[in-house]
Amino acid sequence: MSPQNLGYLVGIQGIDEKMEEELVLMPKNQEALLNLEETCKAISNSRPMQEHVGPPVRKSRSADFGASKIGYDEHGIGIKLKRENNFNRKVESARGNFSRMRARSAQFSVDINGLVHHCSGSLKEIEHVICRTPSTDFGLLNPIAGPIFPSPNLLELSRKNPYKDEAVDESPISYKKGLVPEIWEQMQMEPTLPIYLKFSDVSYQILVKVGKSPSATKYILKGVTGSVFPGEVLALMGPSGGGKTTLLNLLSGRVNIKGHGGIITYNDQPYSKWLKKRIGFVLQDDVVFPHLTVRETLTYAALLRLPKTLTKQQKEERAMNVISELGLESCQDMIIGGPLVRGISGGERKRVCIGNEILLDPSLIFLDEPTSGLDSTTALRITQMLHKMAHAGKTVVTTIHQPSSRLFNKFDKLILLGKGSSFYFGKASEAMLYFSSIGCSPLIAMNPAEFLIDLANGNMNDKSIPSELKDTFLHGSQEFKHQEQRPSPVDIHEYLLDSYETRVAQIEKQKLLRPVPIDTIRDMQVGSSLKNSGATWWQQYYILFWRGLKQRCHDYLCWIRVTQVLATAVIVGLLWWRPDASTPKKIQDQAGVLFFISVFWGFFPVFTAIFTFSQERALLVKEMSVNMYKLSAYFMARNMSDLPLDLILPIMFLLIVYFMVGLKPDFTVFLLSMLTIVLSIIAAQGLGLAIGAALMDVKKATTLASVIIMTFMLAGGFFVQRVPFFMSWIRYLSFNYHTYRLLLKIQYSCSSLDNSGNSPCNSTFIKGLRLHNGGMEAGAMIAMIFGYRLLAYIFLKKMRLRSASCL
């Protein structure tokens, strides 16, 4: 960029009487401006920076913004911009490099701070400061007053680079160290690999079957074309059902484009596995553990995802840097919460989800409606954070439903989708100008985003109708007299699509043919460093074990569950209060409580384990999609973290029931009874995990589990002693049957000291059960523990493969 092309980019909205806006540079920066003396002189002699386009407005003294309004020091360098107004307030810069008096009815956007801070750098850096001026300065800010645009000559000059060929390179130029905010510099683990995303004629179709008719093809996307480069934020906007999320999934590689149509390239290369570590994806729904704190959530993610070369302390520091950058210091020790658990706010929860993705410092970030459900101020804060990330050299793509005017002006590029088709692609600041050029303009003051969404829906109320459509539908009349005469939404869609294809589409496709300026050697060096990302299997197991323990202790030890177990124990103890086992009838009563214990601690864990994978499925699929850990490490940690919690409630239950019922007062017998119950719980949990992993639907899994538990209970050996031979095999699959027999064996086994005829072991009831040494029952329980879990792992792996094919 030539020094003669350097200037202050000023966007002015509205002009009023007695305005004053003053921008004063601090003395410490005036010396740095000496290098720009020649440039500023050239600017001061050039034509005015702004041209007013639109309806005529009242001439104002302050409207003549020229060299007479700019004060110079002895070197001729512009130091002060002055306008007069009675409504002034002082605004201090974050870096303290300048102060500004801001008018209420005018809007200045001068990136002098960045210009001064980096004026000693190369011309390429200076060009970036100018080109990164917010898009609001060039867009249509008020439909009534008319748009304000910079001089066309200046815009064309600012895009040229005297050190390159004559061809215009419109991609963002520079994101060097001096231009990145300080905190983002600290957060970058290595040089950011710029990713230039291009896509052409992207289509996506599905088969839909309606009734008995054959399957028909439905197009979700139809030939969408676009691009986004490092340093830019691309917004995918459109009404619900327009294909925004589908396009986002295709661009991120979560959905395979093969078999659908179109080309998607990353630095002119197709999608590959090494890109997965370079891409971050933030889901529309906040998928996090509700009972973990903000710091715990980000710390566990850092320990699992960051490279092995970093120490544990460095990974924790990285998590704290992300917390600081996202402004989460005040809530870092609060639980995240969820629909049923009170925690942090929705905006803070969304920032935590974004923090999960930027931990690995991705080069390409996708966000699915990050502002949905948030108020305008919180949404603006998140959008500003995305701009900081883009300024650090990252490529940001986000879907947005209907942003406020402030949010809309923050986007660099825009794709407007409607019914799967693209109605516009280009700079967001030029969208209103484009639609005005094809005859679609708002007739009243309107939010640009609202105007564009209405167009995508085919709604032309309070909007001018293009002359081509008027000629088609009016038939010689001057205006539409009836609503039926107006063009239908289908007609509007066809007109917008034809206009886009003839005016924009071919030009954009030609731009996509230009090669991206990527250093291949540096690309390979940066990409190869990600091979050491992640933790080892044992580290994954250790981290997931403690994460699961902290998360599930709230569920296991909640007061409702504790009350349920303790109340049941007291009721059982009162109903079977110390029966005398001297007669066979009373022995049978006491055997009833042992059968109830086997049923209760078989029924209770099954229905608890059924919900495990269905509740964590979204989080599991999300974390597995980015190779956060191995499925085997997760499965082992999930099972082992349950064991300490599984021992607490059964011990409390057995301590109450054992002595209230008056079972055998022997410590060894008590320990063996406790061990038998633990085996029953672990086996029952395995069955619940297998059912839950196989169906992944709570209603279906609960129904199936009820039938299985009822069958196991009836075949448990208490209600029916003699089972028909063709049904006898069921009892050997029932953990209730094996638990009941083990408890009877422990309580009523005969010893050398107890051979009297009145001993319970000599009763007809006990002898009729034919209790042996209990080895077969214990072996069967251990086989169930491993067998059911093996089935659960197989079903879970198939579920993961199904989910991966859908992503």
Side-chain angles (χ1 to χ4, degrees), residues 24-25 38 55 130 210 263 265 295 316 329 391 440 539 573 576 612 669 676 696 797 807:
V24 182
L25 299 179
E38 185 178 359
I130 294 179
V210 181
I263 301 174
T265 61
R295 180 164 54 183
E316 291 175 349
E329 299 98 326
H391 288 183
C440 300
Q539 289 173 339
W576 277 277
T612 299
V669 173
T676 302
M696 281 295 175
K797 197 166 187 178
L807 292 179

Side-chain angles (χ1 to χ4, degrees), residues 742-753:
L742 279 175
L743 290 175
L744 290 174
K745 175 67 178 178
I746 293 170
Q747 289 293 326
Y748 303 120
S749 61
C750 291
S751 62
S752 58
L753 300 177

Side-chain angles (χ1 to χ4, degrees), residues 159 164-173 196-200 226-229 265-269 413 506-518:
R159 289 175 179 158
K164 289 191 174 182
D165 298 334
E166 290 298 321
V168 178
D169 184 7
E170 295 185 356
S171 61
I173 304 299
Y196 294 73
L197 174 61
K198 300 178 182 179
F199 48 99
S200 177
S227 63
V228 57
F229 300 145
T265 61
Y266 310 81
N267 294 344
D268 291 338
Q269 299 295 324
K413 287 184 176 180
Q506 295 302 321
I507 298 175
E508 294 299 331
K509 289 179 181 179
Q510 290 297 322
K511 291 181 181 179
L512 296 181
L513 299 178
R514 301 173 185 170
V516 299
I518 284 293

